[in-house]
Amino acid sequence: MTPKKVISALFLSSSLLAPLANADIKIGVISSSTGPIALVGIPQKNTIPLLPTSAGGEKITYLPLDDGSDPTATVKAFKKLIDEEHVDAIIGPSGSGNAMSVIQFAAESGTPMLAPVGTAAVVLPMTEQKKWVFKTTQNDDLIAEALVEHMKSTGVKTIGLIGTADPYGENWAKVMKDLTQKSGIQIVANEKFQRQDTSMTGQSLKVLMANPDAVLIAAPGSSSVMPQTTLKDQGYGGTIYQTHGAALDPFLRLGGRAVEGTILAASSMLVLDEVPNSPSKEIAAKYIEDYKKLHGETPATFGANVLDAGLLLENAIPSALKSGKPGSAEFRSALRDALEKTKEMPATQGVYNMTAEDHSGFDERGRVLITVKDGKWALLK
Amino acid sequence: MNFQIATLLGQDGLTNGAIYALLALSILLVFTVTRILLIPLGEFVTFGALTMAAMQMGKTPKLEWLLLGLVLIDCALDLYQQIKYHIDRNKMKMIALKLGYAVVIIALLNNVSLSEIPMIAQIALTLCLIVPIGPIMYRLFFQPLADAPALVLLIVSIALHVAMVGIGLLLFGPEGARTQPFSDSGFRLGAVMLKSQTLWVILVSIFLIVTLFIAFERTLYGKALRATAVNRMGARLQGISPVFAGKATFALAAFIGSASGILIAPITTLYYDSGFIISLKGFVGAIIGGLVSYPIAAIGAVAVGMIEAFSMFWASNYKEIIVFTLIIPFLIWRSMNSHSVEDEE
């Protein structure tokens, strides 16, 4: 045989043998551990070794892939996992835009997809395609409700918005518009910025001129810091609200004194010591401890979203195994049905109750109001 | 819009504009001397800022491994050439010197408590760490292709940029960082508060531009570089080494890039991938100068900063669009005024 033939023969046999060799449950994990949203993707990738390794007596294998934050690469990775690896479910991707671009492929192949992304648009409004998608983060409006309630109770009448010019900021602007209308709060300024902007003077001056009672900054990760420091530098004295996108330790480090007193709503993971005991608290505490042991740092909540996806699957697999063997279309479809029937399942981010309409499944147990006190996160009392 | 807001925005635009001007000048310098469009210039900005931030957090900047790696490759190549052709005492000494330099820098970084030394020492160390990367980069990636068509050089330059962004993520992580301001005071000018860092940026930029001007007008090395820019073949016939010219301009570009990063790091959060968009604005300035004229490029870059600041105020949604659309009228104007297309190849 020529070398070329040998190689192709090897390839053929390996691709034939692979499905026989392990009849385990195969889960693909796509994260963006490089590229612009690496801040979200790296803790997610780091969480993969902590995911459950077996469920219902079957071994679970995880197949991690990196999409470099690029939606095209996400689609490729998705197709590879579905067509070549025949995975039973996919956890990921990290980015909202990336997730939006692969929903149709999950639906076409009948593969359940558990997206640890922020935007509610991946599961709302529910369509035939989105039936295959589950979301392991709180919907923006759940977080926003908590903030708007707090604004109302403290007598805030006018607010200014500063958001990133990406799906994250846009969606928050939309959600806030709906919610504030109902509560009689007026949005007097709505400014946008880019994550990489080196200056925010213009936007914050515009907000200052409108003189709102409070300002909400909607930006993912450490990009949420600059609008706030600029506002403080220019002497803004009102309350500043942040979204759960800011709930990261770099926010405290970069912001320093300027972020003192910020109010945000996020999962209780940040203030575990202060919240009352609950099954969620135990799971989150264990996750944080394991993660610290493995990587030597505290995990961001983004990582916990992936762990929750793993827990949801672990919970759903035993009942799905009754309907088919792993690797078959029946199994995947049964897995989807079982995920949709998840009831009162505690996980790091709260308690899941999935229904045919709600594929995020969180209620107010999934969020608490948090503030920054002496450079640390503290429960808002 | 009142006077106070206009001055605040003006101050902001001038600060950013000064940085863009510095970058525009080094893009121009590298382009005229070597025909390379230095896309990775922005990465020097972020490397400078993030290395400085790492030092202030008391961490040893991981960039030392990049420097060590590059120096080792560089020395290995030199050694290989020495052995293959003929052994030259002086060249061997140079190799030893280079290796010694890298070792000394790394030893310093690991044995000094970086967060406690004065800021000026931190700045010096950051520059010592980053500036040598410039010439080594030229030697490894561009020197073998010095006579290749400009397009090939551009492709290598883009590849280098992509690689450096990846290395940046690896070395500095995805989180942004900012540094302490050089001095904490601000002072009042009429009704407007001037931030001291703004003055630092503007003053250092002006100082660097003036120094460059003097260096190019008065010193022999400066004149040699200018000669290479005007006519490479002619300069070569006069005994000016194109290799030296390339390395010197890359060292200058790395210096200006990392100095810009250190200057703006206290004002803004920089990420491992922020550099590109910053250098792109410097590039717009350089284009306005037609990639030949230094003064017009500097003025253009300051104009970019100003337009950016004011469009941020009026239409924050469209800021980037406005800034980068600016380039189109200049391109049209340039293409209408150019008489012939010079083909170097």
Side-chain angles (χ1 to χ4, degrees), chain A residues 157-160 180 184-188:
Chain A
K157 290 275 179 297
T158 51
I159 58 165
T180 47
I185 295 171
Q186 219 190 333
I187 299 178
V188 289

Side-chain angles (χ1 to χ4, degrees), chain A residues 120-137:
Chain A
V122 292
V123 289
L124 288 174
M126 186 50 76
T127 62
E128 196 53 36
Q129 286 190 334
K130 288 177 188 169
K131 262 174 58 186
W132 292 91
V133 185
F134 297 86
K135 179 168 167 294
T136 58
T137 60

Side-chain angles (χ1 to χ4, degrees), chain B residues 265-308:
Chain B
I267 319 178
T268 177
T269 316
L270 282 173
Y271 303 85
Y272 71 96
D273 60 347
S274 302
F276 183 61
I277 206 87
I278 300 174
S279 69
L280 209 56
K281 284 168 191 159
F283 183 69
V284 173
I287 290 286
I288 292 174
L291 282 174
V292 269
S293 163
Y294 288 87
I296 298 178
I299 295 166
V302 174
V304 169
M306 284 293 186
I307 289 165
E308 190 187 11

Side-chain angles (χ1 to χ4, degrees), chain A residues 138 142 266-269 275 278-280 343-353 361-368:
Chain A
Q138 295 86 342
L142 187 76
S267 77
S268 55
M269 238 181 86
V275 294
S278 70
S280 284
K343 281 279 158 310
E344 284 296 307
M345 192 201 93
T348 57
Q349 303 281 304
V351 181
Y352 288 89
N353 272 306
F362 281 110
D363 49 27
E364 66 287 344
R365 283 174 290 182
R367 48 122 156 117
V368 288

